[in-house]
């Protein structure tokens, strides 16, 4: 009996689980964790520029970390970063689809408009940020100068709560939330615009027609990607890079807020002005190169897994 015929005899929830099991590989969170570990050195380099105020060039910084801390220094704080990144990505994509579908029901439109994508993307980013920012704050504290003396995740958590209160875990929340609207809009909007433009092109229409003819055949999930694997990865990378470049100054301000102690705490605007006074406008883009190098594979694979799992689980 063919797989599709066998699945037709199963209840919908059981059939979905069977499809997920038989596609092989690991789940979305597992892929995110592996990818996060792979690009962790780039995240570490970015934090050295943003958090520690590193002034040397990229290659000099790589040599400095390698000689003073060894190879493991590039993965400093990676565990807590995975604890933050995996749920953040999962919540973000799930929330985006949920909000988009609800907006579609409210508007009564047949297709999602760019404005609805903007609202859904902004709301998804805000939701994921509120739920996951404590782990980001802890990670920043661990990498900052003096962070090693505080110990691991639990000890840093206890230290911050005992000395500065529970809400110190939400330092930098305001610039994070402010940046989420344009970041979500650009991240989802750019990808959807590129995807729509391709599918409306002669090549895209031919691909959709071919896929329609193959509907009754046993075609694997990768071959069912509307854009194909290469374009899905490419458009995801472009969307991620555009979103990162657009909102990167907010990232720098947020990291500086997370490093502050109660005694000399500044608000977001005062922190922004302090960064500019000390380093000029370029200081708002400190660590941009390693950040983009990290975002390119991260965003591309995130979108690939997102589109892949929608096909596997037959999510519209």
């Amino acid at each position: 009996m063919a797989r599709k015929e066998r699945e037709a005899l199963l209840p919908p929830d059981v059939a979905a689980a069977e499809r997920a099991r038989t596609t092989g590989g690991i789940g979305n969170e597992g892929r995110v964790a592996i990818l996060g570990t792979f690009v962790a050195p780039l995240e570490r380099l970015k934090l050295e520029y943003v958090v520690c105020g590193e002034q040397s060039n990229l290659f000099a910084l790589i040599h400095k970390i390698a000689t003073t801390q060894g190879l493991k220094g590039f993965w400093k704080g990676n565990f807590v970063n995975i604890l933050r990144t995996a749920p953040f990505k999962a919540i973000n994509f799930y929330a985006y689809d949920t909000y988009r579908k609800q907006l579609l029901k409210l508007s009564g439109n047949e297709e999602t408009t760019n404005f609805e994508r903007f609202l859904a993307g902004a709301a998804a980013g805000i939701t994921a940020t509120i739920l996951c920012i404590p782990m980001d704050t802890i990670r920043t504290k661990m990498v900052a100068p003096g962070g090693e003396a505080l110990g691991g995740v639990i000890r840093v958590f206890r230290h911050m709560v005992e000395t500065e209160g529970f809400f110190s875990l939400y330092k930098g929340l305001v610039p994070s939330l402010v940046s989420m609207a344009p970041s979500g809009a650009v991240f989802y909007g750019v990808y959807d615009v590129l995807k729509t433009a391709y599918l409306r092109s002669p090549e895209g229409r031919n691909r959709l027609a071919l896929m329609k003819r193959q509907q009754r055949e046993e075609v694997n999930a990768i071959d069912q990607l509307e854009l194909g694997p290469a374009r899905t990865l490419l458009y995801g990378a472009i969307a991620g890079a555009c979103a990162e470049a657009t909102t990167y100054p907010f990232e720098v301000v947020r990291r500086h807020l997370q490093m502050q102690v109660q005694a000399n705490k500044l608000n977001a605007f005062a922190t922004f002005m302090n960064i500019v006074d000390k380093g000029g406008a370029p200081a708002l883009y400190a660590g941009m190169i390693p950040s983009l190098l990290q975002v390119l594979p991260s965003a591309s694979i995130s979108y690939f897994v997102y589109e892949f799992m929608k096909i596997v689980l037959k999510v519209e």
Side-chain angles (χ1 to χ4, degrees), residues 250-284:
F250 291 102
E251 164 82 356
V252 175
V253 172
R254 175 167 63 91
R255 297 291 184 183
H256 279 264
L257 285 169
Q258 290 172 340
M259 289 189 297
Q260 292 177 4
V261 294
Q262 198 68 32
N264 57 2
K265 186 177 179 180
L266 301 174
N267 60 37
F269 180 74
T271 301
F272 170 85
M273 295 304 298
N274 187 48
I275 294 170
V276 174
D277 287 342
K278 290 183 177 179
L284 295 170

Side-chain angles (χ1 to χ4, degrees), residues 70-89:
L71 192 62
K72 66 179 183 179
F74 291 100
W75 278 267
K76 181 181 178 182
N78 180 54
F79 175 69
V80 68
N81 192 47
I82 290 174
L83 293 180
R84 175 191 67 89
T85 303
F88 182 89
K89 298 265 186 197

Side-chain angles (χ1 to χ4, degrees), residues 5-25:
E5 294 174 345
R6 185 172 66 253
E7 288 178 358
L9 301 176
L10 299 173
D13 55 342
V14 177
E18 176 70 8
R19 285 193 299 272
R21 184 184 66 80
T22 56
T23 51

Side-chain angles (χ1 to χ4, degrees), residues 17-165:
E18 176 70 8
R19 285 193 299 272
R21 184 184 66 80
T22 56
T23 51
I26 56 178
N28 193 9
E29 292 81 0
R31 288 182 174 90
V32 171
I34 291 173
L35 177 62
T37 300
F38 181 74
V39 300
L42 294 171
E43 174 73 9
R44 173 66 202 281
L45 293 171
K46 179 185 78 172
L47 291 180
E48 284 293 324
Y49 285 109
V50 178
V51 176
C52 304
E54 182 63 47
Q55 298 296 322
S56 57
N57 64 53
L58 187 59
F59 294 105
L61 176 57
I62 292 172
H63 182 264
K64 177 182 174 181
I65 294 175
T67 54
T68 58
Q69 301 177 36
L71 192 62
K72 66 179 183 179
F74 291 100
W75 278 267
K76 181 181 178 182
N78 180 54
F79 175 69
V80 68
N81 192 47
I82 290 174
L83 293 180
R84 175 191 67 89
T85 303
F88 182 89
K89 298 265 186 197
I91 292 169
N92 207 333
F93 277 113
Y94 177 79
Y96 173 70
D97 271 341
T98 301
Y99 291 137
R100 181 178 57 81
K101 290 175 183 176
Q102 290 302 316
L103 289 171
L104 202 59
K105 288 181 181 179
L106 291 173
S107 66
N109 297 326
E110 292 184 2
E111 294 184 1
T112 308
T113 64
N114 286 334
F115 180 68
E116 288 168 344
R117 291 189 186 104
F118 174 86
L119 287 181
I126 289 170
T127 301
T129 297
I130 291 174
L131 293 175
C132 300
I133 197 172
M135 294 305 298
D136 188 60
T137 305
I138 291 172
R139 200 282 171 96
T140 303
K141 202 76 171 178
M142 291 175 67
V143 177
E148 291 182 355
L150 298 176
V153 179
I154 302 300
R155 290 184 61 185
V156 172
F157 171 83
R158 290 180 57 186
H159 172 80
M160 293 188 68
V161 172
E162 290 173 358
T163 59
E164 302 179 60

